[in-house]
């Protein structure tokens, strides 16, 4: 009876299977994110390890580069030191050569000084003069020739009796007079030459402003009148017309004068004589030449 009752009832006999499947499903759902986070942690750790390895590699490369750079600098320093040593040796050689040359020059100079000191100084020619009371027998001159020394003693005594020494120096006085005459002649010639030489002539450059009466004045005729002034030491130069105002122009003319012969007052007086054309004359510029 009981079994039949159970047959009529709807019972889920395989529910445990479904429960196990549901449990496994939920475990997968729960363990899935944990597994991915662990995987991400593993990936982050591998990235850090790669960065560390890369940093180590860069450090090793930098250390190798610095070592090669230091070795290159050391090689350059050694080459410069060797070059300086070579230059120093060359300088030592040059100094040694100069010292040898100076030593040779000093030795030659000492030899020349010794040779000049051993040579006797030339003795000026002198005469032996005896007192007035004692008759002179012989006058010795260093420049006397051997032929005079070989003359007979008798001839020498006769000559000594006739030739007395002149203590007052009449010959020297005659020579002094001749020298004085020559000097005076030269001084006279120099004075004549200096007098003939022309002296420096002082000149001046003057720029004149010649003003007319009005704008109807014939400027060409006025310039002709100005240039007609002629004096010794006066030379006219270039000229031009400069506007003054209201149609009036003034004549600006250049001239060179000798200071000793032509004065500015005389020049202005001569120009202002042309009263029909010239109103006034002014000196615009005055320069010494």
């Amino acid at each position: 009876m009981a079994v039949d009752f159970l047959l009529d009832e709807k019972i889920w006999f395989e529910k445990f299977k479904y429960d196990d499947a549901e449990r496994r499903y939920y475990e997968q759902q729960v363990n899935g994110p944990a597994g991915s986070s662990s995987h991400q942690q593993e990936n982050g750790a591998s990235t850090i390890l790669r960065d560390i390895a890369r940093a180590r590699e860069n450090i090793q490369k930098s250390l190798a580069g610095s070592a090669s750079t230091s070795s290159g600098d050391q090689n350059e320093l050694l080459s410069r030191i060797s070059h300086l040593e070579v230059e120093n040796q060359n300088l030592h050689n040059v100094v040694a050569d100069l010292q040898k040359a100076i030593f040779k020059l000093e030795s030659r100079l000492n030899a020349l000084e010794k040779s000049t000191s051993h040579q006797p100084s030339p003795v000026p020619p002198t005469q032996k003069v005896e007192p007035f009371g004692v008759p002179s027998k012989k006058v010795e001159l260093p420049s006397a020739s051997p032929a005079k020394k070989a003359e007979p003693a008798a001839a020498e005594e006769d000559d000594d009796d006739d030739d007395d020494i002149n203590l007052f120096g009449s010959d020297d006085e005659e020579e002094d007079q001749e020298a004085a005459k020559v000097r005076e002649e030269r001084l006279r010639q120099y004075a004549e030459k200096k007098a003939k030489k022309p002296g420096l002539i002082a000149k001046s450059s003057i720029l004149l402003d010649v003003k007319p009466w009005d704008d109807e004045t014939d400027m060409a005729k006025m310039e002709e009148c100005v240039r007609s002034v002629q004096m010794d030491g006066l030379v006219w130069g270039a000229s031009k017309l400069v506007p003054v105002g209201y149609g009036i122009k003034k004549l600006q003319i250049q001239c060179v004068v000798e200071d000793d012969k032509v004065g500015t007052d005389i020049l202005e007086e001569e120009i202002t004589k042309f009263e029909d054309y010239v109103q006034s004359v002014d000196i615009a510029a005055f320069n010494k030449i």
Side-chain angles (χ1 to χ4, degrees):
M1 287 297 289
V3 174
D4 292 334
F5 176 74
L6 292 172
L7 290 174
D8 292 332
E9 292 289 336
K10 293 181 181 181
I11 301 171
W12 190 8
F13 293 99
E14 296 179 353
K15 184 178 180 302
F16 67 95
K17 293 182 181 180
Y18 288 99
D19 292 337
D20 292 337
E22 186 178 1
R23 180 178 55 81
R24 287 195 298 269
Y25 173 74
Y26 284 111
E27 286 180 355
Q28 288 178 0
Q29 291 294 326
V30 171
N31 293 330
S36 63
S37 63
S38 63
H39 183 67
Q40 290 177 357
Q41 290 177 358
E42 290 177 359
N43 291 335
S46 62
T47 304
I48 293 171
L49 291 175
R50 285 197 299 272
D51 293 338
I52 293 170
R54 191 179 297 108
R56 287 179 179 176
E57 185 178 359
N58 292 331
I59 291 170
Q60 290 177 358
K61 288 182 180 180
S62 63
L63 290 175
S66 64
S68 63
T69 305
S70 61
S71 63
D73 295 339
Q74 187 175 5
N75 293 330
E76 184 179 359
L77 183 61
L78 291 174
S79 63
R80 290 181 65 183
I81 290 172
S82 61
H83 183 66
L84 289 174
E85 288 179 352
V86 172
E87 289 184 353
N88 191 13
Q89 186 64 31
N90 294 331
L91 289 174
H92 279 299
N93 295 332
V94 172
V95 171
D97 295 338
L98 290 173
Q99 288 178 351
K100 290 180 182 179
I102 291 171
F103 179 74
K104 290 180 180 179
L105 290 174
E106 287 180 350
S107 60
R108 292 182 62 185
L109 183 60
N110 292 330
L112 289 173
E113 288 178 354
K114 290 179 181 179
S115 63
T116 53
S117 63
H118 287 308
Q119 290 181 357
S121 59
V123 180
T126 58
Q127 293 182 352
K128 292 183 179 180
V129 181
E130 295 181 357
F132 290 102
V134 182
S136 61
K137 294 183 178 180
K138 185 178 181 181
V139 178
E140 294 180 0
L141 293 174
S143 59
S145 61
K148 290 183 179 180
K149 292 181 180 180
E151 289 179 359
E156 288 180 359
E157 291 178 357
D158 294 336
D159 293 338
D160 291 337
D161 293 337
D162 296 332
D163 297 335
D164 292 334
I165 296 174
N166 186 4
L167 297 177
F168 296 100
S170 60
D171 295 336
D172 296 337
E173 291 178 357
E174 293 178 357
E175 293 178 357
D176 293 340
Q177 292 177 359
E178 293 179 357
K181 290 180 180 179
V182 172
R183 184 171 61 253
E184 290 177 358
E185 181 65 22
R186 290 180 179 176
L187 290 173
R188 185 181 60 78
Q189 292 177 359
Y190 176 75
E192 292 179 356
K193 184 177 180 182
K194 188 175 182 181
K196 292 179 180 178
K197 186 177 179 180
L200 184 62
I201 300 174
K203 294 183 179 181
S204 300
S205 176
I206 304 174
L207 183 64
L208 298 174
D209 284 344
V210 184
K211 297 177 182 179
W213 288 103
D214 51 20
D215 57 345
E216 296 180 357
T217 304
D218 189 355
M219 300 302 294
K221 185 65 176 177
M222 187 176 72
E223 181 179 356
E224 183 181 352
C225 294
V226 171
R227 290 185 181 273
S228 65
V229 177
Q230 298 294 329
M231 298 181 186
D232 186 15
L234 172 63
V235 179
W236 292 106
S239 64
K240 64 179 179 178
L241 297 177
V242 180
V244 176
Y246 303 101
I248 301 173
K249 296 181 180 180
K250 66 179 179 179
L251 175 64
Q252 199 169 69
I253 187 167
Q254 185 86 22
C255 66
V256 177
V257 299
E258 295 182 10
D259 296 342
D260 295 338
K261 296 180 180 179
V262 181
T264 56
D265 297 337
I266 299 174
L267 191 60
E268 292 178 5
E269 183 180 354
E270 291 294 329
I271 294 174
T272 52
K273 287 182 179 179
F274 302 99
E275 297 177 353
D276 296 337
Y277 302 99
V278 179
Q279 177 191 7
S280 63
V281 179
D282 296 326
I283 296 176
F286 188 92
N287 297 315
K288 291 288 186 180
I289 299 176

